Amino acid sequence: MVTLSKDQEKALKDILEWFKKDREKMQFVTLGGFAGTGKTTLIAVLRNELSKINKYLKVGFVAYTGKAARVLKTKLREQNIILKGDSVGTIHSLIYSPIINDKDEIIGWQTKEEIEPNLIIIDEASMVDETIWQHLLEYKVPIIAVGDHGQLPPIKGNFNLMQKPHLKLEEIHRQAKKNPIIGLSIEAREQGKVSSGKYSNGVKKFTSSDMDYQESMNEMLENYNPDTLILCGYNTTRRKLNNYIRNVLGFESPNPSSGDRVICLRNNHTKNIFNGMLGTIDHIEKKSKDWYLAEILMDGEDEIYEGFISVEQFNCENSLNFTKKRSKIMEGDLFDFGYALTVHKAQGSQAKKVILFEERFKQMNDDDWKRWLYTAITRAEEELYIFST
């Protein structure tokens, strides 16, 4: 039998109350929870309680990307809470259907007229953008949006679903506290620092005075694989790391090639790609001075992305989407090398192994820095190596 913490019990009671009495006049409720507070456990208990209220309830469990949806499905299966009639997938697969031309090619996506679930539960809800959120609301289905309110807000725009959640989980479970990554995330969130030292075989913070600092850094970068996230603060650092790793991996051209890891830098709902999604180039050819035609296997997605991507964006200091050139590059998509990412770009990603270069912007206030460091640390699932710079 699951024992809930006090704030889990309160959140459960409030959500059930909302579902029974208030969901007609208040379509959604947001639940924020720090890492280690038991968000998934609460969702499991909640799903069982909801089945007692309505045994015919169909819950659509959704996440922003295919990779996140698969992680969510694994967690739900472990808790044995996917009941008859429930579904687990991306938000995109739930509410959009493909537009197909006479050659049976997908040329875009449109919202479905209706959906099966009569309750939607969103995981990692801080990643949901305003367009998708408005489309979700149009179905008039009650929504429970779950996310981590300790993370950084979205980079651009004013929309942030997790800015002020209706309900909060902030009590870290005793078992979670034993996890060194959770422990460091608490230190980062509360104090804005991580002390140097070895916390376990797979969790360590290096300082430049450590004898093995440079050797360990080089060895880790040279052993890069797609299960690794390399994170930093500055775009200049990101570019240097990307070029270093590409050189180690044997890419001779500075231009993107088949096998290169890339990151999407702008949402394109008709192509089912979103800012921050990672992938691997399957095929690429230059079509003009401004555009490549590329096929990209996006992580966790079933369909291969195919489209025109900007030549100029690769190795560019910033996203062209936020420059004066925006109007000239609207007919294609924006990708860059994705071996190293800024923490802002990694908000929707997690990896078994994270290598973090701790870089603080001069203009960051203490609260922003705490969120930056906390967000970076909580990208790690099993191993975390921090290098102070």
Side-chain angles (χ1 to χ4, degrees), residues 178-181 197-204 382-385:
K178 296 177 183 177
N179 180 327
I181 294 173
K198 183 176 180 181
Y199 295 86
S200 72
N201 287 335
V203 179
K204 183 175 180 179
E382 296 175 9
E383 295 179 65
L384 172 66
Y385 304 97

Side-chain angles (χ1 to χ4, degrees), residues 13-246:
K13 181 181 175 221
D14 289 347
I15 293 172
L16 290 173
E17 194 77 8
W18 162 81
F19 184 79
K20 286 187 279 190
K21 296 180 180 179
D22 298 326
R23 70 179 189 272
E24 296 294 332
K25 57 186 177 184
M26 180 178 160
Q27 188 182 349
F28 67 93
V29 63
T30 51
L31 171 66
F34 295 141
T37 55
K39 295 188 289 293
T40 307
T41 300
L42 178 60
I43 290 171
V45 176
L46 172 65
R47 180 64 190 97
N48 285 327
E49 291 300 315
L50 289 170
S51 68
K52 296 174 186 175
I53 298 169
N54 180 356
K55 64 180 180 179
Y56 300 110
L57 184 68
K58 295 178 183 178
V59 178
F61 295 98
V62 293
Y64 199 59
T65 65
K67 186 177 180 182
R70 286 177 186 175
V71 170
L72 175 61
K73 193 169 191 175
T74 300
K75 288 180 180 178
L76 297 176
R77 278 180 172 163
E78 287 171 357
Q79 302 271 7
N80 196 30
I81 58 165
I82 304 174
L83 305 185
K84 186 178 179 181
D86 290 354
S87 60
V88 187
T90 62
I91 300 172
H92 202 272
S93 65
L94 177 66
I95 66 173
Y96 298 110
S97 58
I99 302 168
I100 299 173
N101 65 13
D102 54 9
K103 296 178 183 177
D104 286 335
E105 298 169 332
I106 297 175
I107 57 172
W109 297 81
Q110 60 190 359
T111 53
K112 297 175 182 176
E113 287 188 12
E114 57 183 30
I115 57 175
E116 283 284 318
N118 35 39
L119 173 67
I120 297 170
I121 297 179
I122 306 172
D123 190 36
E124 297 282 355
S126 58
M127 299 306 299
V128 177
D129 66 38
E130 190 168 10
T131 300
I132 285 185
W133 180 243
Q134 291 303 321
H135 287 167
L136 281 164
L137 293 176
E138 285 169 9
Y139 290 100
K140 307 299 181 186
V141 172
I143 301 170
I144 301 169
V146 183
D148 188 334
H149 58 296
Q151 291 184 25
L152 288 165
I155 304 172
K156 298 292 181 181
N158 298 318
F159 184 77
N160 181 3
L161 199 50
M162 282 295 118
Q163 186 169 13
K164 291 182 179 178
H166 298 117
L167 307 169
K168 295 179 183 178
L169 299 178
E170 299 188 335
E171 183 181 333
I172 310 297
H173 290 184
R174 191 186 314 162
Q175 206 61 30
K177 284 181 181 176
K178 296 177 183 177
N179 180 327
I181 294 173
I182 296 293
L184 292 187
S185 78
I186 297 169
E187 187 177 357
R189 180 167 47 77
E190 294 180 350
Q191 301 176 39
K193 70 178 183 67
V194 171
S195 304
S196 61
K198 183 176 180 181
Y199 295 86
S200 72
N201 287 335
V203 179
K204 183 175 180 179
K205 179 176 178 180
F206 298 85
T207 62
S208 54
S209 60
D210 292 336
M211 295 283 288
D212 58 345
Y213 180 91
Q214 195 66 46
E215 184 182 348
S216 296
M217 182 197 301
N218 292 342
E219 184 180 342
M220 287 183 196
L221 294 178
E222 288 164 12
N223 286 308
Y224 168 87
N225 66 63
D227 285 331
T228 302
L229 267 182
I230 300 172
L231 305 179
C232 59
Y234 291 108
N235 274 310
T236 50
T237 306
R238 173 186 61 81
R239 289 172 62 199
K240 288 176 185 175
L241 288 167
N242 276 328
N243 291 328
Y244 180 87
I245 294 164
R246 292 189 77 245

Side-chain angles (χ1 to χ4, degrees), residues 3 14 26 38 48 103-104 109 255 287 326 344 354 362:
T3 303
D14 289 347
M26 180 178 160
N48 285 327
K103 296 178 183 177
D104 286 335
W109 297 81
N255 303 319
K287 285 294 185 179
R326 175 182 168 87
H344 279 92
V354 166
K362 290 180 181 177

Side-chain angles (χ1 to χ4, degrees), residues 287-299:
K287 285 294 185 179
S288 70
K289 69 179 180 67
D290 295 319
W291 299 104
Y292 296 111
L293 179 62
E295 294 178 9
I296 302 172
L297 306 171
M298 304 305 297
D299 291 359

